[in-house]
Structures are given as C-alpha cells and as structure tokens.
Amino acid sequence: MFPESVVPIADRTIGRGAAAAMLWALALGIPASVSAADVAPAALPAHLPAWFSLVPPLAAIVIALLFRSVVPALMAGIWIGAWGLAGLTPVGAWQALLATVETFLLEALSDRDHQSVIVFSLLIAGMVGIVSRNGGMQGVVQKIRRHAGSPRRAQLATSALGIGIFFDDYANTMIVGNAMRPLTDAARVSREKLAYLVDSTAAPIASVAFVTTWIGYEVGLMEDAIRKLGLDESAYMMLLRSIPYSFYPWLALAFLLMVVFSGRDFGAMRRAEVRARETGRVSAEGPAPVSVSETALDPVASQPQRAFNALIPVLVLIVSVIGGLWATGEGETFNEIMGTADSYKALLWGSTLSVVAAVGLSLGQRLLTLDETVEALVDGMKRLLYGMIILALSWALAGVTERLDTAGYLVSLLQESLPVAVLPALVFLIAAATSFATGTSWGTMGILMPLVLPLSWNMTLGGSADPYAVL
C-alpha cells in the first residue's frame, strides 16, 4: 500500500467536473454525482494496491512490443491508469475512457511549457521544409559531392553530409539518402552501406547537437520530471550537460568513421560491398525495395540551388538560441547565466528568427512565391505531426503515473535490491528492446523517460530514508 506520506489516491481527482461529462453520465444512467472528468468517485477502492501503479507504463511497453505501434500503446496505458483511479469498475472503465482525452490529454496540452516545446519543434521543422524547397539544402549537397569520387570519398562525403544536417533526423534521412544515392551508385557503394551511413548519422547527430527537433522533444519530457521532483533546474541546461554522457550516439558516430576510414566491413555488409565492387550491382537481387517519395520538399527545378540559403537560417537559429540564453540568464559566470536562462524563450526566439530568415531569403531572391513558401513551411511541419502526437500522449501518461506515484513505488522496490551501478545498463537494455520492437526512438523516450528520470534521481542524488520525500 502507499505510505501515509503520500496523498491517498482516493483523495486525488483526475480533473474538474464538467457539464458535458455529467450529461454523458446521465444519458448512460450513471449517478449524477459522478462525472467522467472528475473520476475520483466514491466507488474507488479505499486501498488501491500499490503494485497497480506499475501497470500503466508496463502495459504501454508490452503493447508497444506486441503490436509495434506506440500511439495505441500510450493510449492504453493512459486509459488503464485512469481506470484504476476510477475504481476498476465497469462504470469506471467508461469514465476513464472519456478522461483519457478530456482530462489527461488536455491537461498535457494546456501546459505553457508543453506548448512552447510543440511550437518551437514545429517551427524548426518548418524551416527545414523551406530551405529544402528553396534549394538551399541541395546547394549544400552539391558542394560536398564535388569532393567524392572513389568509394571511400563517397562514403566520407555521405557521412559528412549526414553530420552536417544535424537539426532533424527525418530531414537528414530524406535529403542525404536521396542526394547521395546517385553518387554512391556511381562509386559502386552498395545500397546497404548507404543505408547504414545515413541511419548512423541521422539519429545520433540529432540527439547530441544542441539545437534540434530531438532536443525540443527531450526537453519537454525532462521538464515534466524536473517539475515533479521539485528541482530548481533548467531542463535544457540539464540536457546539454548530459550530452557528453550520450555514449551510444557518440560510439555510433565513432564506429561509422572507423568503418569508413579503415575500409573494413563485416558479415552481410562485407558481402554486399564485394558484390557492388565486383559486379556493379549496388542492390541485392529480388523485389525492389519500397521507395517513399518526399516530392513535397524537393527543390524547385527551375531555381538556382545556393548553399547559403540553408546555412544562413541554421546559423541564425544557433546564434539566436545562444543569444536568447545569454539575454534571459542572470549571474556573473557563464554557468550561472546559462543555468538561470529561460531556455523555452530562447528556443522560441531562435526557431522564429530562423523561419523569418528562410522566408526572407526565399522571397527576396524570388526562389519561391509566398504561397509556395507557406506550403513548404506547412509540409515541413507535417512530418513532425506524428512525433508531436507521441509527445502529447507521453505527457498524458506521465500525468497518470504521477497520480499513481509509480516512481515512488518503483523506488521502494528497487532501492535496496538493485545496485545503482546496474541501473544505466538495465535502462539501456529495456530501451533497446522497446526501440527495436517498435521502430521509433521517440516512442521509446516517451514511454520510459517519465519513469526512468524520477527513478534515477531517487536512487542516486535524491536518495533519502523516505523514497517518496521528493515526489
């Protein structure tokens, strides 16, 4: 059972009463004193088993593994948690279903910091859409392609371009893969090797560069955990300080460069490279792989492709974010200023000004019409819609687990039995299995971060006699 220091779950509410929800309840014959938005009814068991707090996140993980789809898994986790709070009754199941969206999802989206994350992530994606459509990205590609002739140089050029387009993994994959395919084909580099080079630069560099759509997503998840732990800490600065410890991305990039420079390949990759060099067949025999077209962001064919049209907006983004952090921070030392800075405001300023720069360059040189510029902006944002849905559902699930005190109960189970040194490896293995099964890094972070961050804090820096004290 939950300790007395924790507010009893029966005394907590999932939301505030709403007239619409009460009408639903009356229509279904549910007592008028119980609404779908206020699911802390008298029917709630007086002592909800403490172990139930683990059920929602575990259900989300299991469903994601089984069905390889994150959105239904997160929705199910939210609903199960809300059902537990509503009493685990048939009526409570219906109330929890309504509360999943009407209460938890709306609460997640109504938070100002959450709104900031969504807005600056969409703006960065929109900027990527514009600089892709106005030919700026293709101009960067053309500059790099001039120096790639041999197989090794073609691989180095692909890797360099993958690292250079750091601010969005989707844009990275789309641009680098399509742009470098003719070059690597001519150099007799296998398509398998090209896929490896693209994939091993896109996500790793997006997760460690300090202004990316990934960073915005992760800041949103971390901010929730920091707030619930009562820490006076900037989520953005905490994330920046964690980058040197992002061992997997750094090792993935290092291993890629080792493979390219050494020319050594192993197993199936070696067989693919031997086939491409000796026969000229860059793709394996069999059905042609499915190709997804992203023509909406292809550059306008009739317009010049100038690299500075991409480099200037990116430079504006970086300089504006740094300037925003400096302008909003207080103190005498660099660490004090950065630690007290308003990272959300700085990221919003930077993303807004980068879009303004991209729009200005496109219209000023008459590369795009106003309608084409707006269309490119929206098309860029569309590619991030799925990620934003996952993020919103992750926030909602975090709200459920907070009310169930999942982190506190998990700490009480593991604090004595699990050595702290084992925790990073355990989390890595769980995250790797979840990511492999679902195929989405964002979904993996959305499921695990709200649970792992409080757990790691309580087991290390926040350790105290009462594991619930900081929650």
Side-chain angles (χ1 to χ4, degrees):
M1 296 305 168
F2 287 91
E4 294 179 359
S5 60
V6 180
V7 178
I9 290 186
D11 293 339
R12 301 176 183 177
T13 59
I14 295 186
R16 296 171 178 83
M22 187 166 291
L23 289 175
W24 271 104
L26 290 172
L28 294 167
I30 302 173
S33 59
V34 178
S35 72
D38 191 0
V39 282
L44 183 67
H47 301 288
L48 188 67
W51 56 262
F52 183 84
S53 64
L54 298 178
V55 174
L58 288 178
I61 293 173
V62 171
I63 294 172
L65 293 174
L66 290 177
F67 297 98
R68 300 189 177 186
S69 184
V70 175
V71 171
L74 291 170
M75 288 287 291
I78 299 166
W79 173 71
I80 291 171
W83 187 20
L85 292 168
L88 293 176
T89 64
V91 171
W94 173 254
Q95 295 171 339
L97 178 62
L98 298 181
T100 295
V101 175
E102 190 270 342
T103 298
F104 285 108
L105 187 57
L106 285 186
E107 284 183 356
L109 293 174
S110 64
D111 184 277
R112 181 176 175 81
D113 289 342
H114 292 175
Q115 293 168 359
S116 298
V117 170
I118 292 173
V119 170
F120 70 66
S121 297
L122 290 175
L123 286 174
I124 292 175
M127 180 270 288
V128 172
I130 294 174
V131 299
S132 298
R133 189 78 174 119
N134 70 13
M137 283 294 186
Q138 194 64 27
V140 174
V141 171
Q142 296 297 341
K143 295 260 183 207
I144 293 178
R145 288 176 63 172
R146 296 174 187 172
H147 306 286
S150 65
R152 177 177 294 179
R153 286 187 175 182
Q155 293 177 51
L156 282 173
T158 303
S159 303
L161 188 60
I163 294 172
I165 303 176
F166 60 86
F167 37 83
D168 180 65
D169 62 321
Y170 292 133
N172 185 308
T173 302
M174 178 186 70
I175 294 168
V176 177
N178 289 329
M180 299 304 293
R181 187 185 303 118
L183 182 65
T184 54
D185 285 354
R188 293 195 174 190
V189 175
S190 68
R191 293 285 179 84
E192 293 92 331
K193 189 65 168 289
L194 174 62
Y196 165 70
L197 297 174
V198 172
D199 188 66
S200 291
T201 52
I205 194 63
S207 64
V208 295
F210 77 98
V211 185
T212 71
T213 52
W214 275 58
I215 296 300
Y217 178 79
E218 292 178 82
V219 165
L221 294 173
M222 293 179 67
E223 176 66 26
D224 254 16
I226 289 172
R227 186 187 308 166
K228 290 163 187 174
L229 290 169
L231 303 179
D232 184 17
E233 179 70 54
S234 164
Y236 185 60
M237 296 309 301
M238 181 178 287
L239 181 62
L240 292 183
R241 286 197 290 269
S242 75
I243 287 177
Y245 303 96
S246 298
F247 299 121
Y248 175 77
W250 291 123
L251 290 174
L253 292 170
F255 188 77
L256 174 138
L257 294 175
M258 286 165 45
V259 168
V260 172
F261 277 108
S262 69
R264 293 180 178 274
D265 295 291
F266 308 92
M269 184 68 76
R270 175 177 173 79
R271 292 192 292 272
E273 285 292 274
V274 170
R275 180 202 69 222
R277 298 289 197 284
E278 294 181 352
T279 68
R281 288 189 292 106
V282 295
S283 297
E285 294 181 349
V290 176
S291 177
V292 179
S293 176
E294 293 280 0
T295 56
L297 296 182
D298 285 347
V300 178
S302 60
Q303 299 293 358
Q305 297 170 354
R306 303 178 176 123
F308 67 80
N309 286 323
L311 297 177
I312 290 177
V314 172
L315 185 62
V316 168
L317 174 65
I318 295 172
V319 172
S320 299
V321 170
I322 296 174
L325 291 171
W326 190 267
T328 58
E330 297 178 356
E332 297 181 357
T333 67
F334 178 81
N335 287 336
E336 288 176 348
I337 293 173
M338 293 295 105
T340 58
D342 188 337
S343 57
Y344 288 109
K345 186 176 290 187
L347 289 167
L348 283 171
W349 288 351
S351 56
T352 300
L353 292 176
S354 69
V355 170
V356 171
V359 171
L361 289 167
S362 300
L363 298 179
Q365 300 170 74
R366 297 184 179 180
L367 299 173
L368 301 173
T369 65
L370 181 60
D371 287 343
E372 288 173 334
T373 303
V374 173
E375 184 179 354
L377 175 74
V378 174
D379 285 334
M381 291 180 174
K382 284 179 182 177
R383 296 182 305 102
L384 211 59
L385 179 60
Y386 185 71
M388 293 298 99
I389 292 173
I390 294 175
L391 181 56
L393 292 174
S394 300
W395 284 327
L397 180 60
V400 172
T401 57
E402 180 191 12
R403 299 184 189 218
L404 291 172
D405 198 27
T406 303
Y409 177 66
L410 195 57
V411 170
S412 70
L413 290 179
L414 301 179
Q415 187 168 250
E416 300 298 332
S417 59
L418 181 69
V420 173
V422 176
L423 183 61
L426 180 62
V427 172
F428 177 82
L429 293 175
I430 295 173
T434 305
S435 181
F436 178 80
T438 62
T440 166
S441 300
W442 283 37
T444 302
M445 291 187 288
I447 292 173
L448 296 182
M449 264 197 179
L451 191 63
V452 170
L453 290 177
L455 174 64
S456 60
W457 169 260
N458 283 317
M459 290 186 65
T460 54
L461 298 176
S464 64
D466 180 5
Y468 299 89
V470 297
L471 296 178

